[in-house]
Amino acid sequence: MSGLEIERKFLVANDSYKSLATSSAHIKQGYICSERGRTVRVRLRDSKAFLTIKGPSLDGGLSRYEFEKEITPDEAEHLFLLCERGIIDKRRYLVPSGPHMFEVDEFYGDNAGLVVAEVELSSVDETFEKPSFIGKEVTGDRRYYNSQLSQRPYVMWREE
C-alpha cells in the first residue's frame, strides 16, 4: 500500500473502547530511521510483519505520504537488530464508529499509561463521529508520534 495518509489523533478518556472493539492485536515496532519527519519502521503485528516508510508532514501532522510492504516475521526480527533504541510495545484495538474505524493503542513498558486513538480520513476536512472514549485532540503533537515515544517515552514527560 502507498499513498497519502490523513489521520487525526486523540487521547483516550476512558476504557469503554475495549467493549466496543471488534478485534485487537499485539504490536511490536521499531524505527530504523526517524529523522526530520521521515521514518522507516519495522512492525510485527501478531503473526504478520511490515516495513513502512513515511514522509514528512506538510500540514501540521494531519497528512503524510506512506509506503508499506508486507515482509516475513523472520525478516522483521532481523530488521529489529538495525533499529534505533526504544522498541514500541502496544496492543491495538479496532473500534468502529459510523463508517470509520478508530485504532486505539494501549502502550506498555516505558509508555504504559498512555492510550491514544487515531482515525484515518479520506480528506482533511472529512467529518466523523467521535465515540464517547475520545478525549483531547493531539494531532500534530510530536510527543505522541510512535517514533518520538520510542526515543522519549511517556514515562519521561507525562508528569510535566
Side-chain angles (χ1 to χ4, degrees):
M1 178 207 84
S2 64
L4 188 65
E5 174 189 59
I6 302 169
E7 64 184 17
R8 291 180 62 184
K9 188 177 290 208
F10 303 87
L11 296 178
V12 172
N14 61 61
D15 68 355
S16 65
Y17 64 90
K18 290 182 179 181
S19 64
L20 300 170
T22 56
S23 67
S24 75
H26 180 254
I27 295 175
K28 172 185 174 184
Q29 69 187 40
Y31 292 86
I32 294 172
C33 176
S34 60
E35 296 180 13
R36 297 185 316 274
R38 293 169 176 82
T39 59
V40 179
R41 176 184 75 202
V42 179
R43 174 181 280 173
L44 186 58
R45 181 180 179 139
D46 286 339
S47 62
K48 291 192 169 202
F50 303 90
L51 180 65
T52 306
I53 302 168
K54 292 186 178 191
S57 174
L58 302 176
D59 56 6
L62 188 58
S63 63
R64 62 197 292 198
Y65 180 80
E66 177 181 280
F67 171 84
E68 186 169 77
K69 174 84 172 145
E70 187 166 355
I71 59 177
T72 69
D74 189 53
E75 289 170 325
E77 290 297 345
H78 284 94
L79 288 173
F80 279 125
L81 300 174
L82 300 176
C83 288
E84 300 168 344
R85 69 173 181 86
I87 299 296
I88 296 289
D89 184 23
K90 63 186 179 180
R91 176 155 296 275
R92 173 165 289 169
Y93 297 85
L94 298 181
V95 183
S97 178
H100 296 95
M101 184 67 70
F102 278 79
E103 296 177 339
V104 180
D105 290 343
E106 179 180 4
F107 291 87
Y108 305 121
D110 286 342
N111 290 302
L114 180 61
V115 184
V116 176
E118 296 179 353
V119 62
E120 286 201 24
L121 305 172
S122 57
S123 68
V124 295
D125 57 355
E126 181 179 359
T127 60
F128 57 94
E129 297 174 31
K130 286 185 184 175
S132 63
F133 59 82
I134 293 298
K136 175 185 172 188
E137 183 164 7
V138 293
T139 301
D141 186 336
R142 295 180 51 79
R143 295 178 302 167
Y144 295 98
Y145 293 2
N146 283 267
S147 60
Q148 296 298 308
L149 290 169
S150 69
Q151 300 296 310
R152 190 164 185 261
Y154 185 58
V155 71
M156 293 175 69
W157 55 270
R158 68 177 169 208
E159 295 172 358
E160 293 175 358

